[in-house]
Amino acid sequence: MDVADLSPAQARERFRAGERVPTAGWCRGWAQANLIAVPKRLRYELLLFAHRNPQACPLLDVGEPGAWSTKLFSGDLRTDLPGYRLYRDGEAVADLGEVTGEWREDLVPFLIGCSFTFERALLAAGVPVRHLEARTNVPMYVTGVPCRSTGSLSGPLVVSMRPVPGELVETAVEVSGRYPMVHGAPVHVGDPSAIGIGDLARPDYGDPVEVRAGEVPVFWACGVTPQAAVLASGVEYAIGHLPGHMAIMDARDDDYRVG
Amino acid sequence: MDVADLSPAQARERFRAGERVPTAGWCRGWAQANLIAVPKRLRYELLLFAHRNPQACPLLDVGEPGAWSTKLFSGDLRTDLPGYRLYRDGEAVADLGEVTGEWREDLVPFLIGCSFTFERALLAAGVPVRHLEARTNVPMYVTGVPCRSTGSLSGPLVVSMRPVPGELVETAVEVSGRYPMVHGAPVHVGDPSAIGIGDLARPDYGDPVEVRAGEVPVFWACGVTPQAAVLASGVEYAIGHLPGHMAIMDARDDDYRVG
């Protein structure tokens, strides 16, 4: 069965069984989300950080302290993603396939919209998506653009990049703009150096993709941004998803479409 | 000088000097906001409540504990609104002209979008606004529709009502829908009893307005909703604005227009 045809429950089962793979193109029609779980003492700060940086951190759902499922994610957040990253004192200390033993009782899970959610709409509008064609992970970059900080959380904006043929940029902006809860319209079109990205061939997360003649790099705010804030702010303990290895939600792409 | 022509600073000065009046129609072009200030221990709950009920509680800004100004409100939140309501243990205990003595050090102020912000756009589109014509406060009603609750905050949706000529309802929906951060499109059009409102002539807050032949009552989510949650949830201490007596923000109406 093509992974695009799997249900969220079927995909989660495969990840629980050990499959570790980026989720772009999986479960056609179902929304995907970024995970960031932080200690309860930071939950207000993180919620406020999300509110202050809505394009990077559109919040789909929040769990109770210690909970491993939420209203919109009926699976087990500790095992049902294809990859996790563990943070201690502002450093990424391990990439793991499951985090049952690491899921402390005071961790509060936040699920944040992912731009994979509008890729089906891009394709439907005739906009090619290179990392889907290449079956690789989307390239992601830490920019030089600072997020709006809170008392204890600050950090740079992270973006994903898709090369778009010049004549289709307007369409890509318009189509993704209809999905504000999964990052919406691009934050930048064109020159990577304008947002502090040095080399497109060397993404900070995910895999590089070819930018062909006549194509323009288009940058969308990315839900890995809270993980960059965890790093930059020296947060004592946090669990994120492995970038590109998302939570498959019990919500449809179209639930986040506006207009 | 017509109150529509005042700057936010000029309006605040009049309120600080003691003027107590609803703010519909004041400071043309400037956004208005609802105030709810709660003890620090409830700030996460209130932020989550706002996230879970975005149409009623679109959050424009949040202050630090004890602060009386915020990024988008440079005045003094304790004196520069034309009216306040004080709550203790889930009861409204006083309506006050200023709350300097009541502004405890652990109070966290939240500023929530107000539908007055899109009334200029309604007028520009040819949709009459009855309470502006009558120079009264907008009528507001506690509905039978429950908000999505959090651990300790729950309560009913509060709505504002404007009578709209039948042939202009679609325009009113479309125009207000462009302002999602100040309640956006209506939550209900037509039958008040469908959302648990008994008698339009007896609003829970504000003043009644005439609904003329050929007009349809149109209901928008209202930022008094958090005050209804404070009441319903027995919150120990809170300060809100007097309904209709809003904070005039340092942000423009158009900042909240989409598309």
Side-chain angles (χ1 to χ4, degrees), chain A residues 34-203:
Chain A
N34 301 267
L35 169 68
I36 185 74
V38 296
K40 184 176 172 182
R41 78 159 191 91
L42 276 172
R43 64 180 180 167
Y44 175 74
E45 294 274 351
L46 189 60
L47 195 51
L48 190 59
F49 186 84
H51 167 66
R52 289 186 174 168
N53 299 282
Q55 203 164 4
C57 309
L59 193 58
L60 303 188
D61 210 359
V62 186
E64 296 300 315
W68 51 80
S69 58
T70 72
K71 186 167 192 275
L72 296 178
F73 185 90
S74 64
D76 186 329
L77 285 170
R78 304 167 304 175
T79 56
D80 293 3
L81 277 67
Y84 298 88
R85 187 158 282 177
L86 182 65
Y87 295 89
R88 279 183 212 275
D89 299 323
E91 289 189 22
V93 293
D95 288 350
L96 302 166
E98 59 93 19
V99 290
T100 308
E102 287 71 26
W103 200 263
R104 296 186 182 171
E105 275 187 10
D106 78 331
L107 277 184
V108 179
F110 292 77
L111 291 158
I112 287 170
C114 170
S115 56
F116 289 169
T117 304
F118 60 60
E119 290 182 341
R120 189 170 62 113
L122 289 177
L123 293 173
V127 178
V129 179
R130 180 71 26 82
H131 64 270
L132 288 177
E133 294 165 4
R135 297 179 173 274
T136 55
N137 198 352
V138 69
M140 293 163 270
Y141 304 86
V142 176
T143 72
V145 179
C147 289
R148 236 189 108 191
S149 63
T150 68
S152 60
L153 288 179
S154 60
L157 174 69
V158 178
V159 294
S160 62
M161 189 278 286
R162 292 164 186 78
V164 176
E167 70 277 12
L168 289 172
V169 167
E170 197 175 321
T171 305
V173 170
E174 200 245 320
V175 169
S176 58
R178 290 185 208 134
Y179 293 82
M181 283 303 287
V182 292
H183 304 303
V187 291
H188 183 69
V189 174
D191 180 12
S193 69
I195 53 173
I197 298 174
D199 185 355
L200 284 186
R202 299 178 58 187

Side-chain angles (χ1 to χ4, degrees), chain B residues 16 18 50 72 82 85 108 113-114 130 147 173 188 206 229 255:
Chain B
R16 199 159 54 238
L72 297 178
R85 186 159 284 175
V108 179
C114 171
R130 182 68 29 81
C147 288
V173 171
H188 183 70
D255 295 343

Side-chain angles (χ1 to χ4, degrees), chain B:
Chain B
M1 189 186 245
D2 189 313
V3 296
D5 297 321
L6 296 176
S7 71
Q10 289 171 320
R12 290 176 200 147
E13 196 181 317
R14 284 172 63 160
F15 302 149
R16 199 159 54 238
E19 191 158 349
R20 296 181 66 171
V21 60
T23 51
W26 281 61
C27 300
R28 183 175 44 235
W30 294 95
Q32 302 199 16
N34 300 267
L35 169 69
I36 184 75
V38 296
K40 184 176 172 184
R41 75 161 195 92
L42 276 173
R43 65 180 179 166
Y44 175 75
E45 295 275 350
L46 188 61
L47 195 53
L48 189 60
F49 186 84
H51 167 66
R52 289 186 174 166
N53 298 282
Q55 204 165 4
C57 308
L59 193 56
L60 303 189
D61 210 357
V62 185
E64 297 299 314
W68 50 80
S69 59
T70 72
K71 186 168 191 276
L72 297 178
F73 185 90
S74 63
D76 187 328
L77 285 169
R78 304 168 303 176
T79 56
D80 293 1
L81 278 66
Y84 297 87
R85 186 159 284 175
L86 180 67
Y87 296 89
R88 280 184 211 274
D89 300 323
E91 289 187 21
V93 293
D95 289 349
L96 301 167
E98 58 93 17
V99 289
T100 307
E102 287 72 26
W103 200 264
R104 294 185 183 174
E105 274 188 13
D106 78 330
L107 277 184
V108 179
F110 292 77
L111 291 159
I112 288 169
C114 171
S115 56
F116 289 170
T117 305
F118 60 61
E119 290 182 339
R120 188 171 63 113
L122 289 177
L123 292 173
V127 178
V129 178
R130 182 68 29 81
H131 63 271
L132 287 178
E133 294 164 5
R135 297 179 173 271
T136 54
N137 198 351
V138 68
M140 293 162 270
Y141 305 86
V142 176
T143 72
V145 179
C147 288
R148 238 190 105 190
S149 62
T150 69
S152 60
L153 288 178
S154 60
L157 174 69
V158 178
V159 294
S160 63
M161 189 278 285
R162 292 163 187 80
V164 175
E167 70 278 12
L168 289 173
V169 167
E170 199 176 319
T171 303
V173 171
E174 201 245 319
V175 169
S176 59
R178 289 186 209 134
Y179 293 82
M181 284 303 289
V182 291
H183 305 302
V187 292
H188 183 70
V189 173
D191 180 12
S193 69
I195 52 172
I197 298 173
D199 184 356
L200 284 186
R202 298 180 57 189
D204 295 287
Y205 306 102
D207 303 312
V209 295
E210 185 190 1
V211 182
R212 296 178 189 156
E215 291 182 338
V216 180
V218 179
F219 301 91
W220 279 269
C222 175
V224 173
T225 298
Q227 297 194 42
V230 160
L231 284 172
S233 309
V235 169
E236 69 269 26
Y237 195 78
I239 296 175
H241 66 293
L242 195 63
H245 298 62
M246 317 308 292
I248 313 268
M249 305 293 285
D250 299 303
R252 311 288 306 197
D253 293 355
D254 286 344
D255 295 343
Y256 299 109
R257 187 178 190 282
V258 172

